[in-house]
Amino acid sequence: MTLQPNRIYQGNCIEKLRQLEAGSVDLVFADPPFNIGYSYDVYDDQRTTTDYLEFCEAWIREVHTALKPNGTFWLAIGDEYAAELKVLAQQLGFHTRSWVIWYYTFGVNCVRGFSRSHTHLFHFVKDPDDFTFNGENPAVRVASARQLVYADSRASTKGRLPDNTWILRPQDAPAPSFSPSHDTWFFSRVAGTFKEREGFHGCQMPEQLLGRIVRVSSNPGDLVVDPFGGSGTTLAVAKKLGRRWNGFELSKEYVSRIEQRIEGCEIGQDLDGPADPQKSAPKTARGKTRTKFKNGRPVISLDSETESSVIEAFTEASDGHSTDYLLCDPKLSKRFLSACRERSLPGDARMWNSFLLRIRKSGKLPKSTNSGRRLSYTDMDPYSDGSESAMRLVGIDYGMTLDEMLCSPQAASEFDQLAGMFSPGYSSFEYRWAALALRKRAGTKRYRTLASDQQQYWSQQRTPNRFALEKCLAAKYDCPGVYVVLFEDSVLYVGETQSIRDRVEKLLNTEAWMNFAPTAVRVWFLKDEQKQFGLRSFLINRDKPLLNSEYLRQS
């Protein structure tokens, strides 16, 4: 039996892991029972040491089998068996990349020992030379001390990644001696009074902690597995971040509660809890933070001298094109960044591009005199779906708007690569321009009104039956219309196109699309562009597909 993704299965995790296709899983996160006598509803947490280690060896062996050759395994474990399970995992073929300490408040009080306020997080990989580690993802990185405290113009806007540290209390530590990017991670436990507490399971992990692990060790569309479903946090986070997921749980009661929790989650929804808990923790000593933050990112001041230099660099590099055109054209964008460097501007590429958009908003940039290449919706039809899907996935994973993606060379490159995987054969300019065109169209008053006016009409129409994707390869489907791509009962994507046949043929022959395991399609034959947009907007707002842009949900 092969298990279907996006399901929680009740049963023994060893048996369920064996039902996964070997080498099919990208990331496993496991938070097993610690064998400390905790009271679960069906599991005995007081095994002998020999019995417990044999149990762990069995399920870790199956994890190794289920993972892809470049797969990653994260293990959360307490002090009692941390050393034993680290050695055991290595004996079974894993390589240790990191030994992270999760430090939390609301620690466990001990009478004859120091109160426990940490859990071990082991980061294992199958291949030490080939594994996923998205260290450039800005949602994984955190602000440096130069950003947080000193407002240093030399600080990289990307923030920084981990260094090794020991710490007693992060609230009292002088910056930068503690940071959530260290291998000692500070996240509060999900205590009983916390809003995100589900209530039915006493060992709930924080969503932000799982978010960091899922983001750094997997990509959108990857398969994430949790052998010990527990409160369902791993699965909820995987769904919110656009991953496929499987969970196993011994307790029928927990399975039922997890299903309710997952049902209440939406793809792209914010993770619960503070992304940077150090900022929400009270400090013993008062201090000043000079850098202001908006949406978790530093807001850098723009003085008049820097503003003038950015305008000069843009005028020199743009060849009379608009700001959007420059950001979409890699050659012009590179020329602008070179002009900024020549003027020794403070900051980096992301900051300079952000300054450019801020200056445009203030109306101080010269007007465009060169319209350049113009693309119609018909021109963009062969790749607009790939552009939209890439925009959606990078937006979920990086926590960025489209403007923020285009300002960040790393995110823009990731967007280009993803769009090329969904719709091969086109240029970065075409992919980026299609994304901007979609946003502009969705935000236009005319189209927003059109979508609103058609909502009631489409809600009263019959939904076409689903059928196999291959049926769309027939000649009768070489026509305009709206189509819905399904994975079982879940909607993956809603598209409008000039040729349903061409879109579905590409889907069937493109690995990026097939990674989402589409199983069926629905089709509406529509020639009128306005009706296409109205129906598409209605379906996206009703079904909330994984791969459609947030901009269309607002239409």
Side-chain angles (χ1 to χ4, degrees), residues 17 373 376 398 411 471 530:
L17 284 165
R373 183 182 180 189
S376 67
Y398 281 30
K471 185 177 178 180
Q530 295 186 5

Side-chain angles (χ1 to χ4, degrees), residues 137-341:
N137 186 332
V140 172
R141 302 174 75 92
V142 295
S144 65
R146 283 184 171 183
Q147 291 173 302
L148 278 172
V149 181
Y150 306 114
D152 192 331
S153 61
R154 297 169 297 173
S156 170
T157 58
K158 296 191 299 182
R160 65 189 187 93
L161 270 177
D163 49 40
N164 297 326
T165 183
W166 289 88
I167 198 68
L168 297 177
R169 277 178 53 83
Q171 297 98 316
D172 300 333
S177 60
F178 182 87
S179 163
S181 69
H182 294 169
D183 67 357
T184 299
W185 292 358
F186 172 43
F187 288 93
S188 176
R189 284 195 311 135
V190 184
T193 56
F194 283 26
K195 182 179 179 180
E196 66 178 292
R197 181 64 175 260
E198 291 299 319
F200 66 92
H201 196 287
C203 301
Q204 183 176 336
M205 302 284 280
E207 287 196 7
Q208 292 289 348
L209 184 146
L210 266 301
R212 179 178 297 170
I213 290 172
V214 170
R215 281 185 168 117
V216 82
S217 295
S218 69
N219 296 303
D222 282 356
L223 179 58
V224 177
V225 170
D226 187 342
F228 304 92
S231 63
T233 300
T234 306
L235 311 182
V237 169
K239 179 179 179 180
K240 289 181 178 182
L241 295 181
R243 274 66 171 173
R244 294 175 297 138
W245 50 270
N246 274 133
F248 312 132
E249 174 53 53
L250 196 59
S251 166
K252 291 182 179 180
E253 171 66 17
Y254 290 174
V255 167
S256 176
R257 300 294 289 272
I258 291 170
E259 288 174 338
Q260 293 175 26
R261 181 178 182 183
I262 298 298
E263 184 66 25
C265 295
E266 291 186 11
I267 298 165
Q269 182 180 341
D270 290 341
L271 303 184
D272 291 338
D276 186 347
Q278 190 184 9
K279 293 178 184 175
S280 66
K283 294 181 180 291
T284 303
R286 291 186 178 182
K288 292 184 178 180
T289 300
R290 300 180 184 176
T291 302
K292 294 181 179 180
F293 283 79
K294 182 179 180 181
N295 298 327
R297 295 186 177 88
V299 177
I300 308 300
S301 60
L302 176 60
D303 57 57
S304 58
E305 183 179 352
T306 301
E307 181 180 78
S308 297
S309 296
V310 171
I311 294 173
E312 289 176 4
F314 171 75
T315 304
E316 176 185 311
S318 66
D319 285 343
H321 291 291
S322 67
T323 309
D324 283 344
Y325 199 99
L326 180 143
L327 291 176
C328 287
D329 187 321
K331 291 183 179 179
L332 291 181
S333 182
K334 185 177 181 180
R335 190 186 303 172
F336 167 69
L337 298 179
S338 295
C340 290
R341 291 189 188 94

Side-chain angles (χ1 to χ4, degrees), residues 27 40 43 57 117 128 229 235 260 279 317 353 494:
L27 168 64
Y40 295 97
Y43 175 80
E57 180 179 1
S117 59
L235 311 182
Q260 293 175 26
K279 293 178 184 175
N353 286 330
V494 179

Side-chain angles (χ1 to χ4, degrees), residues 28 38 100 301 332 354 395 419:
V28 172
Y38 187 85
V100 173
S301 60
L332 291 181
S354 299

Side-chain angles (χ1 to χ4, degrees), residues 287-515:
K288 292 184 178 180
T289 300
R290 300 180 184 176
T291 302
K292 294 181 179 180
F293 283 79
K294 182 179 180 181
N295 298 327
R297 295 186 177 88
V299 177
I300 308 300
S301 60
L302 176 60
D303 57 57
S304 58
E305 183 179 352
T306 301
E307 181 180 78
S308 297
S309 296
V310 171
I311 294 173
E312 289 176 4
F314 171 75
T315 304
E316 176 185 311
S318 66
D319 285 343
H321 291 291
S322 67
T323 309
D324 283 344
Y325 199 99
L326 180 143
L327 291 176
C328 287
D329 187 321
K331 291 183 179 179
L332 291 181
S333 182
K334 185 177 181 180
R335 190 186 303 172
F336 167 69
L337 298 179
S338 295
C340 290
R341 291 189 188 94
E342 289 172 1
R343 288 163 172 77
S344 301
L345 292 181
D348 55 20
R350 180 177 171 183
M351 185 184 297
W352 301 331
N353 286 330
S354 299
F355 284 162
L356 184 62
L357 292 185
R358 286 165 63 180
I359 296 169
R360 178 183 68 175
K361 189 174 182 179
S362 69
K364 296 180 181 179
L365 288 179
K367 292 185 178 181
S368 171
T369 58
N370 185 350
S371 61
R373 183 182 180 189
R374 282 293 179 260
L375 299 169
S376 67
Y377 287 111
T378 300
D379 294 330
M380 295 183 286
D381 189 75
Y383 54 85
S384 60
D385 57 330
S387 179
E388 181 180 3
S389 299
M391 175 169 56
R392 171 68 165 157
L393 293 177
V394 175
I396 290 174
D397 209 38
Y398 281 30
M400 286 183 166
T401 65
L402 178 57
D403 281 344
E404 289 171 332
M405 288 181 214
L406 295 178
C407 286
S408 166
Q410 171 67 26
S413 175
E414 181 76 12
F415 167 83
D416 294 342
Q417 292 177 29
L418 269 175
M421 291 169 65
F422 281 102
S423 298
Y426 299 91
S427 68
S428 295
F429 177 86
E430 289 169 313
Y431 296 134
R432 297 180 191 185
W433 196 261
L436 285 172
L438 182 147
R439 182 183 68 177
K440 182 177 180 179
R441 186 187 190 201
T444 302
K445 183 178 180 180
R446 173 192 168 205
Y447 278 98
R448 294 178 72 90
T449 302
L450 186 153
S452 177
D453 291 346
Q454 291 191 34
Q455 184 173 359
Q456 184 175 359
Y457 170 79
W458 288 115
S459 67
Q460 297 171 349
Q461 303 306 302
R462 184 184 67 85
T463 300
N465 293 329
R466 67 176 67 192
F467 53 84
L469 295 162
E470 290 77 9
K471 185 177 178 180
C472 284
L473 301 181
K476 65 177 286 189
Y477 292 97
D478 186 14
C479 62
V482 173
Y483 64 99
V484 172
V485 181
L486 299 162
F487 164 70
E488 296 188 349
D489 293 328
S490 301
V491 178
L492 294 175
Y493 183 76
V494 179
E496 56 182 300
T497 180
Q498 297 300 307
S499 175
I500 295 169
R501 184 186 67 180
D502 289 351
R503 279 283 181 93
V504 175
E505 183 178 17
K506 178 182 66 177
L507 186 153
L508 287 168
N509 291 285
T510 305
E511 183 179 357
W513 280 107
M514 297 311 292
N515 281 341

